[in-house]
Amino acid sequence: MLQEESDLSLIIAQIVQKLKGSNLYAQLERQAWASLQRPEIKLESLKEDIKEFFKISGWEKKLQNAVYSELSVFPLPSHPAAPPEHLKEPLVYMRKAQGSWEKRILKSLNSMCTELSIPLARKRPVGEQKELLNKWNEMGTDEPDLSLFRPVYAPKDFLEVLINLRNPNYENGDSLSFRTHLGLIQVPLKVKDIPELKELFVELGLTTGQLGIDDSTQVPPELFENEHVRIGQKVLTEQDSAAAQQYIRQGSPTALRAELWALILNISSHPEDILYYEQLKTNVIQHDLLVDSLIYKDVKLTASNDDYYFVFEDYLYQVLLCFSRDTSVLSHFAYNSASPPKSYIRGKLGLEEYAVFYPPNGVIPFHGFSMYVAPLCFLYHEPSKLYQIFREMYVRFFFRLHSISSHPSGIVSLCLLFETLLQTYLPQLFYHLREIGAQPLRISFKWMVRAFSGYLATDQLLLLWDRILGYNSLEILAVLAAAVFAFRAVNLMEVTSLAAAEAVLADLSTLKVMPLLQIFLFATVT
Amino acid sequence: MAGKVKWVTDMEKSVLINNFEKRGWVQVTENEDWNFYWMSVQTIRNVFSVETGYRLSDDQIVNHFPNHYELTRKDLMVKNIKRYRKELEKEGSPLAEKDESGKYLYLDFVPITYMLPADYNLFVEEFRKSPSSTWIMKPCGKAQGKGIFLINKLSQIKKWSRDSKTSSFVTQSTKEAYVISLYINNPLLIGGRKFDLRLYVLVSTYRPLRCYMYKLGFCRFCTVKYTPSTSELDNMFVHLTNVAIQKHGEDYNHIHGGKWTVSNLRLYLESTRGKEVTSRLFDEIHWIIVQSLKAVAVNASPSLTSSTANDRILKYNLINDTLNIAVPNGEIPDCKWNKSPPKEVLGNYEILYDEELAQGDGADRELRSRSGQSLGPKASRLRDAGRTVLTTWK
């Protein structure tokens, strides 16, 4: 009991510390001062009266949402003596692996730089700045020569690194047993089995209404949909983050989704936020970064060719170019196993005073990165709001999909979860695919790294991301991947090569995610 | 013994021929006994022309109504809608109701339009009322965006002035006739681009009016960002959305051809603007289609040339569903067929309007629903067409 209490006070202290530096704190202070004018505030009971005022005026709710937001993102309480690296990643071998992976990426970036003799950053001449400002809303029409640029890495390169991960303290033994893991990932992380997943995803059960299933045309809306929409509207009126997160586990009505996500992510557009975005835009105009070309290339290769997202090409530049320059993103490295790459001012290699993070936000984009932003364009068309939502999604979820860590929502755990589910519950399929040289993870990896963006139809993708937000976890990606294999099992059993297996799973655009998930978790005999 | 349907076509399109062959229908020539003839526009004209035409027998179906050009030709379409509105007004139909400023409440879906050169003077009068407006000139008989241009000065259309002595332009020739409409320069933009809707509507009978809308219509986007700036009036890539034009733009992407499905559009609009507005939008689109059909007749040929792989699949399925409705069960056509097809054969079509069914529910329901009065839970959108037999709007 004592331990819990001291844990709690530690967390509270940390959160208070964080919030004290925030805009909300300043606003609350201002509101408290202003409230002194009010007749109901009496000197004798100042504290209680102000608290009461906050409750009635909705400010307490805002504070509640901010605290809830911190709790969602904050890593679990650790020993007060634990060094900061443990917040990033407790396991040494994982930290080491992430470190060498980063070195490789940086090396690749630097050599591209040297080969092409392009500086990592340069200030734009005034003429070029003017031109870019004019073209800001249609950068997609620009045709810079990108043929010499290559993406710094692609998901499959990253997969190779994960396959080679080993825990030096773990002795696998040479003899095969029923415990042997037959997949590609060979590290002993704990992952959930179906009974545990059923507990976690209890709201996806067969007896609970779902959007994505119970709103189809065959079902009368009175049965579920109407009531669910009504509750959603109520949640929005109350502006309660925690309630919204619980609500959205059953899916969000399309008309309410933009607001619900903003509420859950605790994003509100204040003038300061819009100003901040404009400042980032100015940074883009004034300085050209090498990563900008990587971003252009990525957008041109992926989003521009996508049936749904090509329309939003220009928004993607506006978001991603600003994102690269946003130093506030650096704070998420406190709980990300990755670390921002450091670069040194020319001639001052190794001197810490001349070190800068490159790119300024510490995130080097890889092939497919722009697909994290694309689906959001269906919800938000105001650039600064779109930007804020994306940034928050990145620092809460997406970063875990391309850094090496032991976190249950980290990509390593997701891969292991996927493989374990398949091996345990579809052993025949798993064994068959392995035999023909088609390890399932080789096919599903790219789906999970991109959180299925670009593979599912947009409406289905949004229903999936509803649940990511609702459960504050990415595990559902692994479950869906396994469910897709289960769904196409009959065809997969008949293929005899990796290429044929890829072909069976090439087109996911007709899949309905919620029925697949439900059947896999709740309707399959385990 | 039920014979096999005998088909003819004068268009070498795989989406057609594959559909006929998969049904086991028999290909014949037009001189033989045929049941189903998928005709090009030219052939239709010949079949139904006064001099060269012939009467179809009871077991023959073609893919166009004789008066289809009443909607294809822009001048005839405008004339028909104007006439339809006047007729309704004369009958005292509540559909023709106007507001205080004289605008039709329910039938205002065509912008101010004039025929040139016939209405030149009327047009000039209107133009002078708001001289900074932009107008769009479209040749009456062309399609695929050919010959269209925008103007914002009278001098740009001096040629069409009836009194013009310098005009070498033959005023009476219907081939050179144009319509000029007020250009809507604040269109809905997505991703900053203008787009239009390509919807497929099948009309199986006129009396009673039975029409179906294909659920998988699509939007076509311009490759270039929209700007109402007058300096870009000449840039057709900004203003016109026909694929034929966009295909030649530098940025045209062959993988997706600048299209979205209508359901994408719906998702986007519901997400960014809300459900009520979006539902109302689609209701009004359906309303316009039905009213236009009632005003007249059917459009000529939609393009059956496929621009992308997805497009090919779409058009194949479209023809498939069309044939299932038009020639149910692959039986030899019979002009006495009068029953509404059962729900299962609709495929991706949904009932847009079925006059018989609508009249069964009472004609005044149509107006009540238009003016927004609730008709109860049964009167919900077209998607319910599968469950109830209702075919009017909410």
Side-chain angles (χ1 to χ4, degrees), chain A residues 137-141 143 215-222 225 233 254-258 300 303-315 318 377-381 458-459 462, chain B residues 190-193 219 221-226 250-251 253-261 263-276 310 343 377 380-381 383-384 387:
Chain A
N137 286 326
E138 40 189 32
M139 286 184 273
T141 50
E143 290 291 326
D215 55 334
S216 73
T217 47
Q218 277 71 44
V219 180
E222 303 85 60
E225 198 182 347
Q233 281 158 342
T254 31
L256 305 180
R257 185 176 275 125
K300 289 282 183 211
S304 301
N305 288 326
D306 187 286
D307 282 342
Y308 304 99
Y309 306 127
F310 70 90
V311 177
F312 303 117
E313 184 181 344
D314 297 324
Y315 285 124
Q318 292 174 5
C377 297
F378 261 84
L379 302 175
Y380 306 98
H381 52 260
T458 312
D459 63 324
L462 293 172
Chain B
I190 295 185
R193 289 169 227 223
C219 317
F221 284 92
C222 291
T223 46
V224 178
K225 282 283 175 62
Y226 180 77
E250 277 171 1
D251 293 307
N253 185 310
H254 289 264
I255 296 185
H256 56 66
K259 293 178 190 158
W260 258 14
T261 61
S263 43
N264 276 3
L265 175 67
R266 201 170 188 137
L267 174 66
Y268 176 81
L269 290 177
E270 276 183 10
S271 302
T272 51
R273 294 188 187 238
K275 194 139 197 177
E276 293 79 39
N310 279 349
K343 184 180 69 145
S380 33
R381 274 166 282 126
R383 77 173 195 184
D384 299 344
R387 287 183 256 145

Side-chain angles (χ1 to χ4, degrees), chain A residues 5 44 48 88 136 155 189 228 241 244 250 297 317 330 333 335 368 374 388 477 493 498 506 512 522:
Chain A
E5 276 171 22
E44 317 83 71
E48 283 67 39
K88 289 162 73 74
W136 181 253
L189 296 174
H228 191 63
S241 280
Q250 291 170 268
K297 182 126 195 178
Y317 299 120
L330 293 171
F333 285 107
Y335 52 86
Q388 283 183 278
L477 298 177
M493 284 304 289
L498 173 59
K512 302 278 179 242
F522 296 96

Side-chain angles (χ1 to χ4, degrees), chain A residues 33 49 70 85 99 111 152 185 191 196 247 269 295 309 322 334 341 392 426 446 465 510 512 518 522:
Chain A
W33 279 108
D49 289 346
E70 289 299 321
E85 304 91 78
S111 60
V152 179
I185 305 292
V191 293
E196 286 166 316
Y247 168 80
S269 289
I295 290 169
Y309 306 127
C322 289
E392 191 62 26
L426 291 152
K446 54 188 183 292
W465 285 16
T510 51
K512 302 278 179 242
Q518 249 191 4
F522 296 96

Side-chain angles (χ1 to χ4, degrees), chain B residues 73 116-117 139-140 142 160 169-170 173-178:
Chain B
R73 281 193 53 99
L116 290 185
C140 291
K142 299 215 178 102
W160 281 268
F169 166 87
V170 181
S173 158
T174 45
K175 272 217 273 247
E176 297 299 282
Y178 274 70

